Amino acid sequence: MLPEDKYFQSRDDAAIWQRYCGFLDLSVDEFMEIQEGLLMEQIDLVAGTPLARRIMGGRKPRSLQEFRNTVPLTTYDDYQTYLGDQGDDALQEKPYFWVHTSGRGGNFKWIPYTQAAFSVFARYVIGGLILGSASRQGEVNFRPGTRILFTMAPRPYASGSLFYYLSEYVTLRTIPSMKEVETLEFQDAIQRAFKLGLRSGVDVIAAISSVLVKMGERMAGQTEKMSPSLSMLHPVVLYRLLRGILRAKLQQRKMLPRDLWPAGAVMTGGADTAIYKNELARYWGQVPYEVYAATESLLIAVQNWNRKYMTFLPGSAFFEFVPQSEWLKSREDPSYQPGTVLLNELESGQVYEVIVSHFYGMPLMRYRIGDLVQVMSLDDPDTGVKLPQITFKSRADGLIDLAGMTKLDEKTVWQAIASTGIAIEDWSARKEYENNQPHLRLYVEPREKVEAAHLEHLVDEQLREIDVDYRDLGGLLGLQPVRVTLLSTGTFGRYFEAKRNNGAHLAHLKPPHMNANDNTINMLVGLSEVNG
Amino acid sequence: MDSTDSFVTPAYLAPPLAAFCLSLVLVAIVLVGSGRNRAHKLLALLILSTGLWALFIFLMRWSPDTSQALFWNKLAVSFSFFTPAFYYHFTRVYTGRHQSGFWLIIAYMLPAISFLLMPTGLIVQGMSVQYFGYSPVFGPTMYVLLVIVYAVLALGFRNLVLAYRSSTSYEERNRLVYLVLAISFPMIGGIFELFPSAYPATIFGNLMFGGATAIAILKYRLLDIQLILRRGTAYLLMSVMVALPYAGIIILSTQMLGTTRTIWVHLALLLVLAVALLPLWGRVRHMVDKAFYRDRYDYLKALEEFNQKAHDIRDFHDLATSLVRQIRPAVKAAVVYILLPGPDGDFRPIVSSRAGVGASKLAQTVHLEREAPPPVLAGDGLLVKWLRHSDVALDAGNLDIQPHLQSISARDRSELERTMARLLIPLKMKNKELAGILLLGEKLSGQPYSQEDQTLLHTVASRMAVELENARLYFLERTMRRELEEQDQRKTEFLHSVAHELKTPLTAVISSSELMGNDYDALGPDQKAALINNISTSAWKMNKRITELLDFARVQRGMLFLDVQRLDCVSLVQDVVSQLGILFTGKDQTLMVDMPDELPWLNGDRAKLEQVLTNLLENANKFSAHGGHIRFRASQLNDKVLMEVEDSAPPIAEEERLKIFDPYYRGEDADRRQRLPGLGLGLALVKEIVKLHGGEVWVTVRPGSGNIFMVSLPVPGTQVTRDIEDLDLVLRGYD
């Protein structure tokens, strides 16, 4: 029997809820006690390793305060020599597995995970699956054997690794199987997942929000043109199709994905989740359940069962937070060591950069993960959670500063574009100068005919609605800083193909939404002109 | 059989009618007592379904002919299929066990299928008349449905058994026993229905089922099943004990003596038995009670003995020994430890009791181990922290369940796993401080500790904590007395040292000045210069000691102030090193200085910091052997300047490192025969001065290469230095 299955076999729902979701009942003091206990244990574990000795300057901190005073904040550059080639000589123990993500300039960041660490993350992921399929406190709908429709990146990306190794802890039926996902191209894996899901049924959908939105859009537009195929003759598939058609007809609307794949939970993450929340709910029948995950720490925070805000996981990593003012100083002067605060010192409404220190013999210490989160409140009266409630704000390097007055993040720009009502295939934004005046340049591939000037006006209007500082920028300085470059139809698709043909890895197939470099922008514009 | 008169008797009609009436009463009781409880509502539906079934059976039995009986029987059978559905649903809700909804759907489909198929005759084909009354003739589908009914009932049965096994509550387990027993009655009774000529026993099974289930839920506290069994066993034993001699005497008197069984013989026997009955009844009941309440009996005995001994025993260790000796057999634990905090804060066992290996004499083969064996729990670990906050016992099975305990250290976890610890009970003093931990290994039966076990352990633990508190107070008193004695001794030694430290140079001053006064003219210029130098050196030595004393007096009064200025760290070090160079050459020692060309400027008192470095370097010089190496390093580490003095002296013992910065503390020489010279104030002053600068000083040992004294001082601009600057401004303002 798998390690986590035994709890579902032998314990009642109350105990299961407490094991996997009980962290929501912790007080801030209890949370901090756990954090400090695990950190001190971690220091004991790794103090003798070459990597930790280097990071800690040869001195083993004896207290949390000493740790924060003597160990500097780090970035991946501090670990590159030791971890870049997946060597384990400098580590405390041989890793259970390695994961990687895209780094700057196409270099991968490799992160090792110990088995002890993963067993904790496995518990938290199951907690996320329970919370994601619950509508009230104590409700446990997740069971071993749950069918998970998986449309994320395969191993050694974090999401793929997470579900691959999770199946060694709890019985899961991923659709397609995690081994099959690794043999398929990403696009093919997505198609295969939905095809198989039609036959097997689905309990949970674990997917990237944009994939689900695209899928929903396509289905909503294509159901009436659905061409029959041999696979549809399978009795179960036929039954689901007929049921879906009947549901849609009864509600006098087009068929939506939720009619074919009615899932108990839709688990997703990323900046776009909040923007497409309503669309996702409409297409998939569930308000998406958001998690905050990163390659460097597989799961950092998860939403409560009311799907409002996220709560940090106490055993995930030791958390410190750089206040926005300190973060700005360090951005202007990279040599500046910003001060940090702890979870019990967070203030409502403030934005912080997240700093993590690993537990369980893993290597990162006071690591600048590069994400900004916003503390929405210090508790959640709706659910009774007494821990700070956060939302993901943006990547720290994903902000566009306009005239020092406003800092636009990916979520804000995305929301503004989405709210224009113009159908967009994809976009990329960065700061450019025109006559020494900074402006926000959007490279946009529209799906419908639109004039650049009109789109500029619409985006500007939406930004004024969404962002108070941006409104001031316009109001006080009389600036309209949005500029739009329209890209021809299929530009992003061609970019994707060109990258794939060049052997680029999955993480680099799409251009970044914010602050893309010159090469990327030139390539996009070039590909647009080829077609135009 | 044309007439129904032969079997339509009150005995035939009464059971289903009684079952129906009982069901109505029970439904009312359940509904009144249930509030909004979903499980109880399902229970009410369950009893109602059995009641309706009983009503239709009654109407069937009352029918004048088979055709009418068939109608009522079909209704009864259709309604009977609700019973397994409600029962299974109830066990799911009541035990909180989630299973696939498949079986629930199947269970609720049973009555639906039954109602649909009933008119076809596939379930009930007709009625026959048997010796006891009407008996249904089942169709082929009935047997298929019955298999499903039994499968559904078995699943409910399984839910209850699993809940029983995971429950630690005596009451809960007892209630579940009721429910398990209850479902057994109709399951057994139902088997009789399959044989048309067998007497229909389901009605009795259902009667017992409804009653037992409702009692289990609502009235358990008033009517303990153990009580029924206990009383029943006692009566049965008594009956046997009375009946056997009675029958024996009658048989004997009839066969051997040939006496006829007259009324007189019976009366005489009854009289004898009646006289013997009362004491016999008392003995039998006591015996049965003891057998049934073995656990509680042992608990009470253990408590009684502990209470007696706690009064008699003054020695804490004996008390602890006595405690574990009584606790272990009472709760039938494999091992019991009492853990107390050691000097390092970790909790270590001071006494333990283990069950012996011999299976037959487990309770007797107890041996005590005075040496403290593992487990050892980290005093600053999350586990002990949790126990500090908690007033309840910690079931080790819940370590993976409670979020606070999921993160306990791997060391503590492995200690608990290694010793197979199952229960940890905090021993709390009146002030809520954690005095110790009562740790129990697994039960010999392998079962979890029951609520009753835990209640006993809590009672004893709180009693134990009182004794521990007394012992702690006694220990505190003893420690304070010892400390006072030590302080007194240190002061005496200190006065002796002061006298010695001042008298030695004073003697040199007196003897040199007397020599000069008496024979001034006879002395040559070199001798005069040597004597003057002697007087001067000795006077400076005295001055140094007196300055130390005065400085320390200021520290103690909180009056040692800093003259803060911006300092070049490099020049500060260079000055001190050049002043002390002569010391090292005098002992052929090598002083290596490892320092970058530039270091951040500090805010501090130059003279005081010079005093710090001088003291550390002088110590290094003093305690390192001739020809030894002394290394001085200075570097910047983030927002601090770190200075290290590494000597080649013998490593300082760990316990000494803890005290070395204490005032008046003087180490012992290498042979540990006598105290080292000095007042024992130098390092205490170093610590105070560094502290005033917002820094830290500590000592570490580098194996094979002596000791390293480290001083860290904050670089200006950090919060600590701002605090110093503010403090300095305030002090200057007062000046």
Side-chain angles (χ1 to χ4, degrees), chain A residues 205-349:
Chain A
I205 296 172
I208 301 163
S209 307
S210 51
V211 169
L212 291 182
V213 172
K214 283 239 165 81
M215 186 76 192
E217 283 170 352
R218 272 185 208 156
M219 268 209 70
Q222 286 182 355
T223 41
E224 277 156 20
K225 293 178 234 163
M226 196 185 289
S227 52
S229 71
L230 208 61
S231 61
M232 287 182 182
L233 293 177
H234 189 282
V236 179
V237 177
L238 202 60
Y239 160 72
R240 287 189 203 283
L241 280 170
L242 290 173
R243 191 181 61 176
I245 292 167
L246 192 66
R247 270 187 195 165
K249 291 281 175 207
L250 282 174
Q251 292 175 29
Q252 295 178 328
R253 56 166 171 76
K254 285 178 183 175
M255 192 160 66
L256 295 170
R258 70 181 196 225
D259 299 320
L260 296 181
W261 297 279
V266 175
M267 203 170 183
T268 186
D272 49 344
T273 306
I275 297 156
Y276 291 125
K277 200 172 184 173
N278 295 336
E279 274 169 283
L280 284 169
R282 189 167 73 84
Y283 291 140
W284 296 95
Q286 291 285 336
V287 175
Y289 178 77
E290 201 179 342
V291 297
Y292 172 22
T295 303
E296 293 90 337
S297 185
L298 288 177
L299 207 56
I300 293 172
V302 295
Q303 269 185 336
N304 307 340
W305 63 88
N306 63 355
R307 293 167 175 75
K308 201 171 170 190
Y309 301 128
M310 291 189 280
T311 306
F312 281 104
L313 300 165
S316 165
F318 184 80
F319 298 113
E320 289 175 78
F321 304 90
V322 176
Q324 196 175 20
S325 55
E326 286 285 291
W327 171 72
L328 286 171
K329 271 193 222 170
S330 76
R331 204 164 81 136
E332 283 158 16
D333 173 11
S335 67
Y336 177 73
Q337 278 281 313
T340 62
V341 296
L342 299 179
L343 186 116
N344 56 353
E345 297 164 318
L346 293 178
E347 289 176 26
S348 181

Side-chain angles (χ1 to χ4, degrees), chain B residues 152-306:
Chain B
V152 169
L153 289 174
L155 281 172
F157 193 87
R158 181 174 169 269
N159 281 344
L160 297 174
V161 171
L162 287 174
Y164 176 86
R165 282 161 63 175
S166 63
S167 171
T168 56
S169 157
Y170 176 80
E171 275 189 10
E172 179 68 26
R173 284 163 78 98
N174 218 344
R175 206 162 18 227
L176 288 163
V177 167
Y178 257 113
L179 294 171
V180 168
L181 277 178
I183 193 59
S184 308
F185 298 135
M187 279 174 89
I188 295 164
I191 293 168
F192 286 83
E193 301 287 337
L194 296 174
F195 306 102
S197 56
Y199 193 85
T202 315
I203 188 71
F204 299 109
N206 273 19
L207 259 172
M208 291 157 84
F209 162 78
T213 310
I215 289 164
I217 294 293
L218 296 170
K219 295 289 176 185
Y220 170 69
R221 283 164 200 272
L222 298 178
L223 190 57
D224 188 331
I225 192 156
Q226 291 245 26
L227 180 75
I228 297 170
L229 290 173
R230 190 162 55 92
R231 285 284 157 88
T233 311
Y235 282 122
L236 189 68
L237 275 174
M238 271 302 294
S239 306
V240 170
M241 289 169 88
V242 170
L244 277 179
Y246 186 87
I249 290 168
I250 293 294
I251 290 166
L252 270 175
S253 64
T254 310
Q255 291 192 354
M256 292 178 72
L257 304 173
T259 348
T260 51
R261 283 174 280 170
T262 62
I263 190 75
W264 299 110
V265 176
H266 290 282
L267 281 176
L269 270 172
L270 283 174
L271 194 67
V272 171
L273 287 170
V275 172
L277 198 64
L278 204 62
L280 195 65
W281 171 243
R283 263 192 102 73
V284 167
R285 215 174 57 175
H286 180 70
M287 198 175 74
V288 172
D289 281 359
K290 202 174 157 184
F292 270 85
Y293 286 111
R294 182 78 223 173
D295 290 352
R296 292 181 190 183
Y297 185 83
D298 288 345
Y299 295 160
L300 293 171
K301 204 157 181 257
L303 262 179
E304 191 185 334
E305 279 182 27
F306 178 71

Side-chain angles (χ1 to χ4, degrees), chain A residues 2-17:
Chain A
L2 296 178
E4 299 297 331
D5 283 1
K6 72 172 189 231
Y7 294 102
F8 288 92
Q9 285 282 331
S10 62
R11 297 288 190 150
D12 60 17
D13 282 2
I16 289 170
W17 179 271

